[in-house]
Amino acid sequence: MNTDEQDNDEALVPRLRVIEAQPLDQRAAAYAQVHDELKSRLEGGDGTATDG
């Protein structure tokens, strides 16, 4: 894990705390954005997988 990834991981908990403090409609949109970002990061790692 490089420094940028570690910084992103460490920033996640404070970001989630900020989201939790928002009204429900804004919270839903913010969680959807976090979901999309995490999904993109996870799917981006699929390029190194091999068929087996």
Side-chain angles (χ1 to χ4, degrees):
M1 178 181 300
N2 66 35
T3 304
D4 290 338
E5 289 174 340
Q6 188 173 8
D7 290 344
N8 286 338
D9 291 346
E10 291 174 359
L12 181 59
V13 172
R15 183 176 177 189
L16 295 177
R17 287 187 181 130
V18 168
I19 292 171
E20 278 296 311
Q22 296 176 356
L24 185 58
D25 60 334
Q26 293 175 0
R27 199 179 323 161
Y31 275 128
Q33 182 180 9
V34 169
H35 171 268
D36 291 343
E37 290 173 18
L38 293 173
K39 180 180 175 188
S40 177
R41 278 181 68 184
L42 289 171
E43 290 177 347
D46 286 348
T48 60
T50 60
D51 293 332

